[in-house]
Amino acid sequence: MKKEAFKKFYRYLGKLFFPENLTCDCCGAELVFPTRYNLCSKCMADTVFAEGKVCKSCGVPLDNEADYCLNCSGKGRGLVFNRSAVVYKGTAVKLIGALKFGGKRYIARLMGAMLADRFLDAGTAADALCFVPMTAKEKKARGFNQAELIAKNLAERLNIPLCDCLVKIRETAFQKELSGKERRENLNGAFAVKPGVSLSGKKIVLVDDVFTTGATADACASALKKARAAEISSLTFAVTAYQSYGETEEKPQ
């Protein structure tokens, strides 16, 4: 009890002397007034939202009359669909880099807020949320799992249970420089549902930071299906723009 009381006291002191929402989460500029996502007007203008007409599978915005982007056309997925808050450009690239490599964990709140709005806008249904796991080695190297931070914030906002049900059972090569086929081979059989976890008949939404080729989400979906989940979709903060054009200016790290 004393330990928990001390934690609450220190959190109170932190908010008292270092109040939140005074500066932009992306560039650090002073906010002249509160904003929904804690971004300044310049960073908001540099944010490309994944809205309007999007690929029915991966959720990337489309600039044509097709239902699917070039990357998803004619391909089957383990997911019902992916939906993302933003496109991996501009502000999104900076935010993801600051969270994953700059250790700025508070950015997960902003991502959770954007994803909560996207979840509601997409009319997505879920019995539980889960997140893409890391191996113990990967998590130790970074200090945290960014997908877990985002998922926890999203679960609180939506009042949906968060299920820590997936485990990454082997180390894998970095995905950044791999082709789509290589990404899938790299992650084949890399994930499993923890023993004793029952997902039978449940609608599960998988949470991650970036959707690139969908290899990670599909590998996780495969594991969830083996645990008899009824339906699996995914929510990611960003989706890479080259999903519809075959190339991109930015490659997620």
Side-chain angles (χ1 to χ4, degrees), residues 119 123-129 158-161 202-205 231 233:
F119 178 94
T124 310
D127 295 313
L129 305 179
L158 297 175
N159 195 28
I160 295 175
K202 292 185 178 181
K203 293 182 178 181
I204 305 296
V205 172
E231 184 178 293
S233 55

Side-chain angles (χ1 to χ4, degrees), residues 2 10 12 20 23 29 33 49 62 68-69 80 83 92 119 127 140 150 171-173 175-176 188 200 212 214 222 243:
K2 288 184 178 180
Y10 283 123
Y12 167 77
E20 299 174 353
T23 59
F33 52 83
F49 287 91
L62 297 173
Y68 297 92
C69 70
V80 175
R83 290 296 178 265
F119 178 94
D127 295 313
K140 183 178 180 180
I150 299 167
E171 302 293 340
T172 55
Q175 294 278 87
K176 183 181 177 183
N188 186 32
S200 181
T212 307
S222 177
Q243 296 297 101

Side-chain angles (χ1 to χ4, degrees), residues 55-59 79-84 211 234-236 239:
C55 173
K56 289 184 176 181
S57 182
C58 72
L79 301 168
V80 175
F81 58 73
N82 172 74
R83 290 296 178 265
S84 301
F211 189 101
S234 68
L235 278 174
T236 58
V239 61

Side-chain angles (χ1 to χ4, degrees), residues 39 64 66 80 89 93 97 130 143 161 172 180 204 207 249 251 253:
L39 294 174
N64 53 47
V80 175
K89 290 182 176 181
V93 176
C130 69
T172 55
I204 305 296
V207 179
E249 296 176 2
K251 282 190 176 183
Q253 300 180 44

Side-chain angles (χ1 to χ4, degrees), residues 47-97:
T47 300
V48 182
F49 287 91
E51 56 191 7
K53 182 175 175 55
V54 301
C55 173
K56 289 184 176 181
S57 182
C58 72
V60 72
L62 297 173
D63 64 349
N64 53 47
E65 297 305 312
D67 289 330
Y68 297 92
C69 70
L70 293 177
N71 187 63
C72 296
S73 181
K75 295 180 181 179
R77 289 198 183 279
L79 301 168
V80 175
F81 58 73
N82 172 74
R83 290 296 178 265
S84 301
V86 299
V87 176
Y88 190 75
K89 290 182 176 181
T91 295
V93 176
K94 296 174 185 176
L95 288 171
I96 290 172

